[in-house]
């Protein structure tokens, strides 16, 4: 544990010296001596004193002008003849006032998306790496979430799940066997295990499980019923190792895909993009299709051809629809917005595969659903669609998936210019401002505007050029 000490070494020595003299008088487990207390930094409040076999452990919380500092602590350990200080106080700079600009009740309202407020308190949030500290309301909700609401802007800046979550393990295709094996000749063979070599599987950590033994967690929730031939997978030891002929395999693959994409989105800094457990109904239709249902907020994954749940790019595509529906209520009406939905879903699938596989001549990143599409395409590489076609607005057909290839190509050009993190951050930020029935031109302009606000005019010009190349702007 490495933390930034704030006080001079001399005063730590003084405090330890005081403790040692306490120990020497034979009262190691007693509360701190008045000399030790007197030499302590002033910005602390006692949280608790615990007695162990060897002595006492006094824990303090750091405060700044009376307000608790998030993550800041200070501890005296007095064990037998030795005593030590663990100074975990954080540097607080640049904070001019500790009176909130936003009322407690407004903070509770801002946190509503994560549950009803149970309690709230004002906290100081230390800045990262020398940046200014900020003041925030820390709202604890009835969904066991801790929500930080900036006390000046009123915006939610961080959401943490208080529940202690479990990791399990699972066997998955990452992102699918065609990419993993670099083999465009693989065939479904009616879901036979023998059709896909064992080397196509990867054993992964399934994160953020709730520990119930089902594939239920913070960001993904397999809703399959508990009984029947398509029952939800259960493992009390949270070990989910199945092969593709087992209907539970697609549940594991889908849970993993969704947990990973939500975790990635959070890593980009977004605390409020479909920030909930996504319901997943796996292998519950025999259609060769998967879909997102806004009114149910559910992704349904089908078993036609190659089981869709065997290809994470299918799941990521559907998650793209869930993301946009979460960002903008009723998003996707009209052919322009509909095509943006399909194009963004394909983009999200491609950029997630970017994170764990190479861009090769056999399986280019721009190719979407390499494995699922083996059952309905004959040319290689097998792709349901691509992000690098030559199409422009002049080639629009009115069919949203086909037209989505025009939109996704623009997003892909942004990705190629900036890399996946920066590009996806711009795109996600922009989508908050898309109208449900947006036109392409309006949505493209919002994306340029988001780039301007996040990174400045030079990068915004790059984004504009990507849309111009497709005839969108
Ligand atoms: Ca299967
Ligand atoms: Ca949702
Ligand atoms: Ca399929
Ligand atoms: Ca792919
Ligand atoms: Zn779609």
């Amino acid at each position: 544990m490495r933390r930034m000490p704030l006080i001079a070494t001399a005063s730590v020595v003084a405090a330890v010296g005081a403790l040692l003299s306490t120990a020497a008088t034979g009262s190691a487990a007693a509360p701190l001596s008045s000399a030790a207390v007197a030499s302590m930094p002033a910005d602390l409040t006692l949280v608790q004193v615990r007695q162990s076999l060897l002595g006492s452990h006094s824990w303090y919380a750091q405060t700044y002008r009376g307000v608790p500092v998030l993550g800041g602590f200070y501890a005296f350990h007095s064990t037998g003849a030795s005593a030590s200080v663990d100074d975990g106080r954080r540097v607080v700079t640049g904070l001019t006032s500790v009176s909130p600009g936003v009322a407690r009740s407004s903070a509770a309202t801002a946190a509503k998306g994560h549950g009803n407020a149970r309690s709230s308190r004002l906290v100081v949030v230390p800045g990262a790496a020398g940046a200014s500290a900020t003041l925030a309301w820390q709202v604890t909700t009835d969904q066991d979430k801790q929500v930080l609401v900036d006390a000046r802007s009123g915006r939610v800046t961080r959401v943490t799940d208080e529940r202690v979550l479990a990791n399990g393990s699972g066997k998955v295709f990452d992102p699918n066997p065609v990419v993993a094996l670099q083999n465009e000749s693989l065939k479904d063979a009616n879901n036979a295990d023998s059709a896909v070599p064992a080397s196509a599987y990867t054993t992964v950590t399934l994160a953020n499980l709730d520990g119930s033994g089902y594939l239920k967690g913070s960001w993904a929730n397999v809703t399959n019923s508990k009984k029947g031939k398509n029952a939800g997978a259960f493992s009390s030891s949270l070990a989910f190792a199945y092969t593709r002929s087992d209907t539970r395999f697609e549940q594991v693959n889908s849970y993993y895909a969704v947990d990973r994409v939500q975790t990635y989105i959070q890593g980009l800094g977004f605390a409020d993009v479909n920030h909930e457990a996504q319901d997943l109904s796996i292998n519950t239709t025999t259609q060769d299709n998967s879909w997102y249902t806004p009114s149910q907020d559910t992704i349904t994954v089908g078993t036609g051809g190659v089981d869709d749940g065997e290809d994470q790019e299918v799941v990521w595509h559907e998650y793209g629809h869930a993301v946009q529906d979460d960002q903008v209520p009723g998003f996707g009406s009209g052919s322009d917005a509909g095509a943006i939905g399909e194009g963004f879903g394909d983009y999200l699938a491609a950029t997630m595969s970017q994170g764990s596989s190479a861009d090769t001549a056999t399986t280019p990143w721009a190719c979407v659903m390499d494995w699922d599409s083996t059952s309905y395409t004959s040319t290689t590489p097998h792709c349901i669609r691509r992000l690098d076609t030559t199409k422009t607005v002049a080639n629009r057909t009115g069919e949203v998936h086909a037209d989505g290839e025009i939109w996704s190509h623009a997003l892909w050009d942004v990705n190629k210019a900036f890399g996946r993190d920066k590009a996806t951050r711009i795109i996600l930020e922009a989508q908050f401002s898309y109208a449900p029935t947006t036109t392409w031109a309006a949505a493209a302009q919002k994306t340029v505007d988001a780039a301007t606000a996040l990174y400045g005019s030079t990068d915004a010009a790059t984004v504009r050029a990507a849309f111009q190349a497709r005839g969108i702007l």
Side-chain angles (χ1 to χ4, degrees), residues 288 304-308 372:
D288 192 0
V306 172
D307 294 341
D308 286 12
D372 183 58

Side-chain angles (χ1 to χ4, degrees), residues 250-273:
E250 286 78 39
Q251 298 174 22
V252 177
N253 221 38
S254 301
Y255 178 95
Y256 180 67
V258 168
D259 179 74
R260 193 152 55 131
V261 63
Q262 176 56 226
T263 300
Y264 176 66
I265 288 170
Q266 290 177 33
L268 297 176
F270 294 99
D272 210 5
V273 172

Side-chain angles (χ1 to χ4, degrees), residues 188 190-191 224 229-230 244 246-247 250 281-291 300-310 314 372 375:
D188 180 48
N190 199 22
N191 206 21
N224 291 46
K229 73 173 173 53
N230 198 24
R244 66 185 295 260
D246 189 317
T247 188
E250 286 78 39
S281 177
I282 307 298
N283 295 350
T284 48
T285 171
T286 55
Q287 294 181 46
D288 192 0
N289 206 353
S290 297
W291 56 83
T300 301
V301 174
T303 59
V306 172
D307 294 341
D308 286 12
E310 289 190 19
V314 177
D372 183 58
S375 66

Side-chain angles (χ1 to χ4, degrees), residues 317-318 321 342 401:
H317 173 96
E318 298 311 328
H321 291 301
E342 301 310 330
H401 298 87

